Amino acid sequence: MTKTASNTTLPIHVIGGGLAGSEAAWQAAEAGVPVILHEMRGTRGTDAHKTDSLAELVCSNSFRSDDATANAVGVIHAEMRLAGSLIMACADKHQVPAGGALAVDRDGFAEAVTAAIAAHPLITVLREEVTGLPPKEWDLAIIATGPLTSPDLAEAIRTETGEDALAFFDAIAPIVHRDSIDMDICWYQSRYDKVGPGGTGKDYINCPMDEAQYNAFIDALIAGDAVGFKEWEGTPYFDGCLPIEVMAERGRETLRHGPMKPMGLTNAHNPTVKPYAVVQLRQDNALGTLYNMVGFQTKLRYGAQSDIFRMIPGLEKAEFARLGGLHRNTYIHSPVLLDESLQLKSRPGLRFAGQITGCEGYVESASIGLLAGRFAAADRKGEMLNLPPATTALGALLNHITGGHIVSDDEPGKRSFQPMNINFGLFPELEPGSIVKPEGVKRFRGKDKTVMKRQLVAARALADCRHWLEQD
C-alpha cells in the first residue's frame, strides 16, 4: 500500500476505552506515536457497564479456549501475545482457573489495563463523550465504541455512511456468591477433567439435574416473564450469545445438548447415576468468591431470574452478586463501508475497530483494535501498511470483516454479513496433500482427520504470524 507523509508529533485519536480501543491506543503508542484516548464513562455511563475502568468486561469473564494447537480462539490468543497485546498480557496476569479456557478476574484485569494505559507516556486519556464523527483536524482517528455506541455518535455514523446500522441483542449471565451454593449437591470438575491455564481439572462447580427437574426447569424458562422489546422487536440475536430462555424455546432438548450438556461429567456424590443435565458455574474472580453461570445469559426480569434459577439443584439458596441483563449491540456493514485496513472508504484516515465492525467476542474485538492501532501508527509514520496474511487468525478475521458476505445469492440486496467469532472456517484451506495419514494407522478419517487439519492450520497460522511480525 502507498506510503503517506510522516509527522509523528501529531496524535492519533481513539474513541472508546473498551478492549478494542485500549488495545488500539496501546499498539499505536508502542509504535512511538502519541495517542489521545477519549472515553465517555466517567461523564456518561452505559446500560451495561458498572465501573469507569477501561476494558471492563460486561458479559462473561472468559476469553474462551487457550489451546493454540487446535482451537482458533487459542490461535488468536497466541498471535496477539506475539504482537505485544496489552489485553492478553493483562489477561494472563489476572487469570483464574477455568479448565481449558482462559478466564480472568474481571476487576483485576480492567484495573491492570487502566493502570497500564494511564502510565504510558504517549497516551493521554480524556474522559469525555464524542457526540459526532471526529473533526477533520483529527486526521487519523479510530472509532472503537463497541456495541454500546452512544446514540448521537451512532446517528453521525449513519449520516456519514448512508447505511443503517444493524443490531442484535446481547444478554448477560448472572453471577452467584460461592458460599451460597450447596456443595452437598454440587461438585467441582472440569468437563473430561481437562486441565487448562492455571487450572486443576476441577475448575467448574456442577449442578446436576434429573429428567423431571430438567423438564420443570425448561417449562419455567419458557413461561418466564421476559423483558418487553417494543422498539427493538424483530432485531436478530447473535447465535453465540443466545438468552437461555430463547434456547429453551427452540426445542426442549436444546439446552441439554448445549450449555447444560452432561457429557464428560461424573457426579462426585453419586458416581453411578448419570445426570440428565448439568448446570456449570465458572470462577469469576481471583478470590474464588464469585461464580458465573456458564451459558446462562438471559433477558428474564430480575424477579423471574431469582425464582427460576433457584430451581437448579444446589442453587436453592443462591445469592446473586449480579443478575442477568440485556443490551443492544450495533455494528456497521463493514464489507461495504471499510477498506482492507479498516478505513472508512468515504473518509480516509478514519478507522473502525472492535465489535462495531462486526466481530464478536472479547479477543476478536481486541485483535481488531490491535490491527487498527498498528495500521494508524504506520500511516502516521509514513510507513507502508503491512496487512497480516489471510492464513493467520488476525488476517482471517480481518478478511471476514472487510471482505465478508455482502449479499445473499438467492435474495439480491439482502445482507448476509453477521457478527462472527474467530473459527477455522474463516481460514484458507490447506495446500493439497498437507493432510497425510500417520504411519501405521489403517483408518484415518472423521474426527482424527479433522483434528490433524486444525493442528496444521494452527501451526501454519503461528508460523506465518511470526514471519509477518518480523517484517513489520
Side-chain angles (χ1 to χ4, degrees):
M1 300 182 76
T2 308
K3 282 188 176 182
T4 58
S6 172
N7 187 343
T8 55
T9 63
L10 294 176
I12 293 169
H13 292 263
V14 178
I15 305 170
L19 277 79
S22 296
E23 187 66 65
W26 183 263
Q27 291 289 326
E30 285 291 277
V33 177
V35 175
I36 297 177
L37 177 60
H38 305 260
E39 170 52 52
M40 74 177 184
R41 284 181 297 118
T43 61
R44 175 176 177 169
T46 74
D47 293 336
H49 290 90
K50 303 299 182 185
T51 76
D52 294 338
S53 295
L54 302 178
E56 179 186 341
L57 306 182
V58 299
C59 192
S60 168
N61 70 322
S62 175
F63 282 31
R64 312 192 325 276
S65 175
D66 203 43
D67 176 11
T69 65
N71 187 290
V73 180
V75 173
I76 208 167
H77 285 182
E79 291 184 8
M80 291 172 68
R81 290 182 179 112
L82 290 173
S85 166
L86 172 65
I87 294 302
M88 289 308 301
C90 292
D92 289 337
K93 184 177 180 181
H94 292 277
Q95 69 179 27
V96 296
L102 172 61
V104 303
D105 178 328
R106 66 178 70 236
D107 292 333
F109 166 78
E111 289 166 3
V113 174
T114 304
I117 292 289
H120 200 293
L122 290 179
I123 301 177
T124 300
V125 179
L126 296 181
R127 296 284 182 167
E128 62 179 15
E129 180 182 1
V130 177
T131 57
L133 289 183
K136 297 293 185 181
E137 54 266 28
W138 296 5
D139 63 325
L140 292 180
I142 299 169
I143 294 178
T145 45
L148 301 174
T149 299
S150 67
D152 289 342
L153 180 54
E155 182 57 36
I157 293 169
R158 281 192 291 268
T159 299
E160 171 68 24
T161 62
E163 296 275 345
D164 291 333
L166 301 178
F168 61 92
F169 288 120
D170 194 10
I172 300 170
I175 293 176
V176 179
H177 287 281
R178 160 63 185 81
D179 58 9
S180 70
I181 301 171
D182 187 349
M183 295 307 296
D184 289 334
I185 296 175
C186 306
W187 76 96
Y188 287 100
Q189 185 187 7
S190 299
R191 199 176 301 279
Y192 300 108
D193 301 305
K194 187 170 183 179
V195 177
T200 64
K202 296 182 178 181
D203 303 330
Y204 292 80
I205 292 177
N206 300 278
C207 309
M209 283 186 177
D210 61 26
E211 186 172 0
Q213 290 168 331
Y214 176 79
N215 284 320
F217 181 71
I218 295 300
D219 290 339
L221 281 177
I222 294 173
D225 184 16
V227 173
F229 298 112
K230 297 181 182 178
E231 64 176 304
W232 295 351
E233 194 170 344
T235 302
Y237 292 106
F238 169 58
D239 277 341
C241 200
L242 285 176
I244 193 81
E245 60 277 8
V246 172
M247 285 189 272
E249 290 168 355
R250 291 189 172 186
R252 183 160 291 271
E253 292 293 293
T254 300
L255 289 173
R256 208 168 73 83
H257 293 279
M260 294 178 67
K261 61 187 176 186
M263 286 75 79
L265 298 167
T266 300
N267 189 338
H269 302 298
N270 197 355
T272 62
V273 177
K274 186 72 174 179
Y276 190 76
V278 173
V279 174
Q280 287 197 306
L281 295 96
R282 179 182 56 236
Q283 185 175 331
D284 199 76
N285 65 345
L287 294 174
T289 57
L290 300 175
Y291 273 72
N292 190 300
M293 297 180 68
V294 177
F296 268 58
Q297 52 275 358
T298 181
K299 59 184 177 64
L300 291 169
R301 296 187 186 277
Y302 285 174
Q305 287 184 49
S306 298
D307 293 341
I308 294 172
F309 294 153
R310 288 188 180 120
M311 294 173 63
I312 298 170
L315 300 187
E316 292 89 347
K317 298 181 180 179
E319 296 296 329
F320 297 95
R322 183 190 71 189
L323 288 165
L326 177 72
H327 57 275
R328 187 175 68 174
N329 282 358
T330 55
Y331 62 98
I332 62 174
H333 195 201
S334 295
V336 169
L337 300 176
L338 303 183
D339 72 8
E340 61 184 352
S341 73
L342 301 166
Q343 284 188 116
L344 193 62
K345 293 176 183 177
S346 64
R347 185 172 162 182
L350 176 59
R351 287 182 165 84
F352 285 78
Q355 278 187 271
I356 197 170
T357 65
C359 63
E360 177 60 27
Y362 291 149
V363 292
E364 289 88 341
S365 297
S367 72
I368 298 303
L370 182 152
L371 292 175
R374 295 173 78 94
F375 295 158
D379 277 351
R380 178 62 79 217
K381 295 163 72 176
E383 298 173 349
M384 297 281 288
L385 293 186
N386 183 18
L387 302 176
T391 51
T392 64
L394 291 168
L397 188 59
L398 178 65
N399 283 352
H400 168 72
I401 290 170
T402 61
H405 301 293
I406 297 175
V407 297
S408 172
D409 292 337
D410 56 347
E411 295 182 76
K414 179 178 175 60
R415 293 176 177 175
S416 57
F417 176 65
Q418 293 291 329
M420 183 70 72
N421 292 117
I422 187 66
N423 63 84
F424 282 122
L426 300 182
F427 290 71
E429 289 290 336
L430 293 165
E431 292 294 324
S434 297
I435 302 175
V436 180
K437 184 174 70 172
E439 188 175 349
V441 175
K442 292 183 179 180
R443 301 181 66 184
F444 184 63
R445 59 187 181 187
K447 183 178 179 181
D448 292 336
K449 192 172 183 179
T450 298
V451 169
M452 176 176 280
K453 179 180 178 181
R454 291 176 177 177
Q455 290 172 339
L456 292 172
V457 171
R460 179 187 66 179
L462 293 176
D464 289 354
C465 183
R466 290 187 183 94
H467 181 65
W468 168 63
L469 291 170
E470 288 169 359
Q471 295 177 319
D472 205 20

